[in-house]
Amino acid sequence: MTEKTFMAGFGGQGIISLGQLWVYCGMKEGKEVTFFPFYGAEKRGGVARASVIVSDHEIASPLVTAPDSAVVMNMDSLPLCEEVLKEGGTLLINSSLVKVETRRKDAKVVKIPCNELAEQIGEVKIANMVMMGALSKVTGAVKLDKLEAVLKTFFPESKHKFIPMNLKAIEAGMAAVK
Amino acid sequence: MAEEKRLMKGNEAIAEAAIRAGCSAYFGYPITPQNELTAYMAKHMLDKKRVFIQAESEVSAINMVYGAAAAGARTMTSSSSPGISLKQEGISYACGADLPCVVVNVARSGPGLGGISPGQADYFQSTRGGGHGDYFHIVLAPKSVQEAADLTYKAFELADQWRMPVMILADGLIGQMMEGVIFQPAIDPASLPRKPWATGHQADTHREINHISSIHLVPAELEASVRARFKRYDQIKAVESRYEEVNVDKAELIMVGYGTSARVALGAMELARKQGIEVGLFRPITLWPFPDKRLGELAAKGKRFLSVEMSMGQMIEDVKLAVNGKAEVSFYGRCGGMIPTEEEVLAEIRRILKK
Amino acid sequence: MELIYGHPKSLKPIQTKYCPGCGHGVIHRIIAEVIDEMGVQERSIITNPVGCSIWSDLYFDFDSVQPAHGRTPAASTGIKRMLPDHLVICYQGDGDLAAIGTAEIIHAANRGEKFTTIFVNNAIYGMTGGQMAPTTLIGQKATTAPYGRDPGEAGMGYPIQVCELLATLGGTKYLARGSVNNAANIRKTKQYIKKAFEAQLRGEGFTMVEVLSACPTNWGMQPVQAEEWLEGNMIPFYKLGEIKNTLAGSEGGTASSSTNGGAK
Ligand SMILES: Cc1ncc(C[n+]2csc(CCOP(=O)(O)OP(=O)(O)O)c2C)c(N)n1
Ligand code: SF4
Ligand SMILES: [Mg+2]
């Protein structure tokens, strides 16, 4: 198994933390992982993108050029993801912000209203965690079982109070995949 | 027992490995894409009461390293391409004075200010003695976060063993990406043996005085000293050249790539295999000394080569020297911060092999 | 004629990519206004430094030259010596001027090079993401001063008062420090810049205007909070005003105690 994912959104949507936590959980489940954020000179705003790979084997190029799955967190990211997604790949779309249909007819499309689900839980900022739950359910690359213990080692002690909320968001994302 | 695997950026892994290797003095100046390395050192050297200085420039930082090395410390500086250019003067002096130190280049793309995206266009500068004068120093090229950490330990050992600067040539991708890494145990700097040639602590042993200098105004003396150093270079070439080979026996074509481009080549190799094409990868880990002997052997077996680089073609000159006309050598590269894709490299393989 | 509301001609009518609350944009604007007022747009050349304001060539509507980090005053020297009737503006950040380019600024100032330096002091490295600058205040946190700037045990040095430092050099004729944290200070800063530019074109000697400027992003503050922090922390240490004025026809000398060879 090798799951290559391309993640895109705008700065501030938590693309970087989503990618990092995804590979961290993968690593804790015994997988080989790499996470490469595209870094730029601009400090604020703009697009945030990351190449993320989880595999049972040694990983070749850390650069994801033909992803098995693409996470589309906002409208601007859709054309970008459509362009790179491999034939028959999966588009995971944040349907709270992306209201149009994809032109990639070959793609498997999974729509998750990440912002709405996150708001219901009480914090729109964890929309990225909703997406992570969906990504796990759809790809199966990272199982996200024993998650609570893993989150405790990922977040510093001072942030542990937010773990229950994050868990809820991830579960909501899993449940939202039909 | 080995420690638990940690998820870290290459930049941070190099910093942590340096601290564990007993680096007691770090000097740096901010530059993207290596800033996390300097920031990590600020935090973790200062809290261990070791020396951390943000110098006023790269020129200053390398000369602080020169001083700390002359005082016998395990010492390091890091930067990225434009800053490494500024350090070249200091590196030349350190080579001339036989001072061990570690210099990390998390390379970006030039020339000039260029861009901050990953590049491999500093190959010539790193492997040819980038400053003035007749000299070389060891250059290590990691391909992953784990190897970046491992080679950082190794760099300090090699520097002390051979009394020379050792450069780690990474790039923005290796520095910025996160992967799992397991660290070796930490060395207490105080437990490292004293260097008999270094300055300081004369009162402890009443040894003869030591002079650290690169000056020799008598040509015959300078020639003798350079020749002695080149004898050492021959020994280094004989024992320190490192490389990794994948599938070279079965391959019709062997890609040669280091660091990030080796990872891309490996991906291209997997894609090629799915199409029934057997190619291999030869990955130099030491760029100086370049593993030319082994490449020469492979050339003698009738292999062809494809140098894959993030430059307009620099390492390919070493590949050509190594095969010495015995094999055909082709080139595929991207520059300006563009990273070649596995698909592009595969297309090049098919073009060369007419498959 | 004073342009107050209209968009200055010397500045392109596009939105900058500086962060909200960043001082660079305001400083660009007042420079452009002064150039328009003096009618020298087609005789102006800026050296844009390595720092966030490297993008200034996207916004200023006149020629520009982009040198290596810190070497801006050396490049400006070359330009001004070749084009002495041009207005040459050497725009620099605190890292560019007071760290890597210390030698260049001191010697350009000491030679009395006849360009004007606009020195943007935001007490941090903006472009590279918040490292300590030579002007970072004691105790102020930065990514490379994670426990705060400590001149004591950690040996991180003291914040450098650049105007006062350069005031001792014979070649310097006009050194002023302004701030762009409120309308009144912006107006005063603009006057300083105009005085400096006019002195440059008269060929009097080295002129510099230091401008205190907010970097909300790397100070980790909201724009309003950043202006308050500047007012409450930077201004008390970096005193505003004309630090040295030995221009022809002016009464003022240098505000700092030591001066050598200032008057010929
Ligand atoms: C030789 C060299 N070293 C380091 C850098 C990286 N670098 C880019 S901008 C900068 C400093 C920016 O700070 P400052 O001058 O204060 O300008 P600001 O962004 O705060 O306006 C540095 C160190 C570089 N480009 N070249
Ligand atoms: S990082 Fe600071 S100096 Fe740079 S544009 Fe943003 S606010 Fe301005
Ligand atoms: Mg600054």
Side-chain angles (χ1 to χ4, degrees):
Chain A
M1 183 281 307
T2 297
E3 182 73 24
K4 301 186 180 186
T5 309
F6 182 78
M7 299 178 172
F10 59 78
Q13 272 190 314
I15 297 296
I16 302 302
S17 16
L18 165 59
Q20 280 184 8
L21 187 56
W22 175 250
V23 296
Y24 184 77
C25 293
M27 186 182 84
K28 288 289 177 188
E29 292 177 19
K31 309 284 188 214
E32 295 293 328
V33 299
T34 83
F35 162 78
F36 176 53
F38 292 79
Y39 56 96
E42 258 99 299
K43 295 259 75 84
R44 284 239 181 123
V47 283
R49 289 175 289 160
S51 272
V52 179
I53 305 175
V54 176
S55 178
D56 293 325
H57 319 283
E58 187 187 342
I59 295 168
S61 174
L63 195 72
V64 172
T65 43
D68 305 299
S69 49
V71 165
V72 189
M73 284 305 277
N74 71 340
M75 213 38 215
D76 287 351
S77 303
L78 184 62
L80 207 66
C81 294
E82 285 172 336
E83 199 186 310
V84 293
L85 188 75
K86 81 164 192 205
E87 185 74 29
T90 308
L91 279 177
L92 290 103
I93 294 179
N94 176 9
S95 55
S96 306
L97 298 183
V98 182
K99 300 289 188 194
V100 300
E101 294 302 318
T102 173
R103 60 179 168 79
R104 283 289 299 264
K105 298 296 169 238
D106 60 302
K108 181 179 164 200
V109 178
V110 182
K111 292 182 183 173
I112 314 288
C114 297
N115 291 37
E116 273 113 343
L117 290 173
E119 270 162 14
Q120 279 165 26
I121 295 162
E123 174 58 81
V124 67
K125 275 192 194 147
I126 54 175
N128 59 347
M129 292 295 106
V130 176
M131 184 53 96
M132 189 166 99
L135 185 63
S136 165
K137 189 67 187 278
V138 171
T139 66
V142 180
K143 301 272 175 303
L144 301 184
D145 44 5
K146 307 192 201 82
L147 191 58
E148 193 171 345
V150 172
L151 290 185
K152 276 195 176 140
T153 59
F154 184 79
F155 291 112
E157 194 84 34
S158 61
K159 297 235 168 106
H160 282 189
K161 54 179 183 282
F162 301 118
I163 289 178
M165 201 167 75
N166 279 285
L167 282 172
K168 264 196 208 155
I170 291 164
E171 278 159 21
M174 288 178 164
V177 178
K178 275 145 217 148
Chain B
M1 199 194 83
E3 284 187 29
E4 217 180 317
K5 204 184 234 189
R6 291 161 70 174
L7 182 70
M8 269 183 143
K9 282 196 171 201
N11 281 335
E12 294 172 335
I14 292 172
E16 176 64 25
I19 292 170
R20 287 172 180 240
C23 176
S24 53
Y26 170 89
F27 309 97
Y29 185 78
I31 189 165
T32 310
Q34 66 84 55
N35 285 315
E36 296 81 5
L37 205 169
T38 312
Y40 193 97
M41 287 307 240
K43 207 160 167 203
H44 298 283
M45 292 291 274
L46 288 172
D47 72 7
K48 290 179 180 58
K49 307 278 177 223
R50 298 192 196 171
V51 173
F52 166 88
I53 297 181
Q54 180 185 325
E56 70 274 23
S57 69
E58 292 86 350
V59 176
S60 177
I62 188 71
N63 285 290
M64 290 175 183
V65 163
Y66 186 91
R74 282 198 162 177
T75 179
M76 174 167 120
T77 185
S78 65
S79 189
S80 178
S81 310
I84 296 292
S85 290
L86 288 176
K87 289 184 198 292
Q88 290 301 338
E89 178 195 60
I91 295 171
S92 166
Y93 277 70
C95 287
D98 300 312
L99 286 175
C101 60
V102 175
V103 178
V104 181
N105 183 0
V106 183
R108 51 193 241 185
S109 38
L113 205 52
I116 57 176
S117 300
Q120 294 185 326
D122 296 355
Y123 183 92
F124 284 152
Q125 186 194 55
S126 316
T127 56
R128 299 305 195 261
H132 61 282
D134 250 340
Y135 71 88
F136 293 94
H137 56 68
I138 295 171
V139 183
L140 306 172
K143 64 162 183 181
S144 63
V145 173
Q146 179 67 59
E147 200 177 51
D150 293 344
L151 290 180
T152 301
Y153 290 98
K154 194 75 207 165
F156 280 98
E157 280 170 25
L158 290 172
D160 280 349
Q161 182 184 347
W162 297 106
R163 275 187 69 180
M164 64 160 59
V166 174
M167 181 177 281
I168 295 175
L169 183 59
D171 65 52
L173 187 137
I174 307 271
Q176 292 293 327
M177 76 177 169
M178 293 182 110
E179 292 185 328
V181 53
I182 299 173
F183 290 101
Q184 299 169 36
I187 299 168
D188 178 1
S191 72
L192 291 165
R194 282 259 173 86
K195 297 169 182 170
W197 49 263
T199 58
H201 304 293
Q202 194 197 0
D204 295 355
T205 56
H206 308 293
R207 58 163 173 74
E208 302 234 322
I209 57 171
N210 286 335
H211 293 296
I212 307 284
S213 169
S214 61
I215 192 173
H216 287 282
L217 287 180
V218 179
E221 281 176 19
L222 180 54
E223 183 182 44
S225 114
V226 172
R227 279 187 186 279
R229 203 169 291 119
F230 271 70
K231 274 222 175 93
R232 195 160 12 118
Y233 294 163
D234 285 340
Q235 293 172 330
I236 295 172
K237 282 183 191 168
V239 296
E240 299 295 3
S241 101
R242 282 156 218 270
Y243 54 86
E244 181 193 353
E245 291 178 344
V246 188
N247 202 39
V248 293
D249 292 334
K250 280 196 228 147
E252 311 173 45
L253 174 109
I254 299 173
M255 292 176 282
V256 188
Y258 67 96
T260 295
S261 43
R263 298 274 295 258
V264 174
L266 198 66
M269 190 184 98
E270 287 164 9
L271 292 179
R273 181 169 297 150
K274 282 184 197 149
Q275 300 186 3
I277 307 170
E278 285 292 349
V279 294
L281 170 67
F282 183 85
R283 179 174 74 91
I285 298 171
T286 49
L287 301 183
W288 193 93
F290 192 76
D292 47 8
K293 216 172 121 220
R294 177 61 185 155
L295 260 186
E297 285 165 17
L298 291 170
K301 288 184 186 165
K303 306 284 184 185
R304 328 171 47 146
F305 297 90
L306 170 63
S307 188
V308 182
E309 301 179 47
M310 280 142 62
S311 77
M312 289 302 286
Q314 301 194 7
M315 183 187 63
I316 186 173
E317 296 199 358
D318 279 336
V319 178
K320 282 184 175 165
L321 284 171
V323 308
N324 199 16
K326 280 182 274 179
E328 228 174 288
V329 183
S330 315
F331 175 73
Y332 186 76
R334 297 292 302 265
C335 66
M338 298 299 296
I339 302 170
T341 66
E342 299 166 347
E343 292 80 9
E344 283 167 18
V345 177
L346 173 66
E348 188 61 23
I349 292 169
R350 297 185 56 169
R351 204 185 60 76
I352 295 168
L353 295 178
K354 301 195 176 66
K355 288 194 174 173
Chain C
M1 182 194 67
E2 196 165 347
L3 267 167
I4 298 170
Y5 295 109
H7 193 90
K9 233 174 24 140
S10 304
L11 205 60
K12 292 179 193 157
I14 49 172
Q15 170 138 37
T16 72
K17 43 181 171 177
Y18 300 121
C19 312
C22 175
H24 280 303
V26 183
I27 298 165
H28 290 9
R29 189 187 165 96
I30 54 181
I31 291 174
E33 286 176 0
V34 172
I35 289 176
D36 285 358
E37 286 164 26
M38 294 171 62
V40 291
Q41 184 180 2
E42 293 186 340
R43 272 203 289 149
S44 295
I45 301 170
I46 189 162
T47 52
N48 48 321
V50 178
C52 282
S53 52
I54 197 165
W55 306 121
S56 71
D57 60 4
L58 297 176
Y59 312 126
F60 284 122
D61 205 351
F62 45 84
D63 290 352
S64 72
V65 178
Q66 204 298 296
H69 188 27
R71 319 303 174 207
T72 0
S76 284
T77 297
I79 298 165
K80 184 73 187 186
R81 294 272 181 137
M82 290 303 101
L83 301 168
D85 61 341
H86 282 54
L87 182 80
V88 177
I89 304 162
C90 178
Y91 197 107
Q92 297 194 263
D94 39 43
D96 197 68
L97 182 144
I100 192 167
T102 320
E104 283 77 2
I105 192 68
I106 288 194
H107 291 283
N110 192 49
R111 287 190 307 266
E113 293 297 340
K114 298 176 182 71
F115 57 79
T116 303
T117 292
I118 303 293
F119 168 41
V120 180
N121 177 358
N122 57 11
I124 203 92
Y125 282 36
M127 187 182 223
T128 40
Q131 292 81 10
M132 187 182 82
T135 48
T136 294
L137 297 175
I138 291 171
Q140 187 186 334
K141 282 194 177 147
T143 62
T144 49
Y147 312 108
R149 184 173 194 167
D150 167 21
E153 197 188 350
M156 294 174 170
Y158 295 85
I160 299 178
Q161 293 163 321
V162 171
C163 284
E164 288 78 355
L165 184 74
L166 297 182
T168 64
L169 303 172
T172 57
K173 291 293 179 276
Y174 183 75
L175 304 167
R177 187 183 286 119
S179 169
V180 287
N181 66 316
N182 59 40
N185 282 339
I186 292 173
R187 222 172 300 124
K188 254 191 230 152
T189 304
K190 186 178 159 185
Q191 284 162 10
Y192 298 151
I193 291 175
K194 192 162 191 181
K195 233 180 187 173
F197 283 2
E198 285 171 350
Q200 173 184 165
L201 288 186
R202 287 196 305 272
E204 290 209 34
F206 184 80
T207 54
M208 182 182 86
V209 180
E210 173 173 343
V211 188
L212 306 185
S213 170
C215 175
T217 302
N218 287 303
W219 294 354
M221 296 176 195
Q222 291 304 313
V224 175
Q225 192 193 359
E227 301 304 355
E228 285 166 11
W229 187 86
L230 189 157
E231 173 106 44
N233 297 275
M234 287 182 76
I235 293 182
F237 183 76
Y238 296 112
K239 297 271 184 298
L240 303 184
E242 294 182 333
I243 308 299
K244 177 175 180 179
N245 181 359
T246 52
L247 297 176
S250 75
E251 320 247 297
T254 164
S256 79
S257 52
S258 58
T259 168
N260 62 37
K264 281 202 195 94

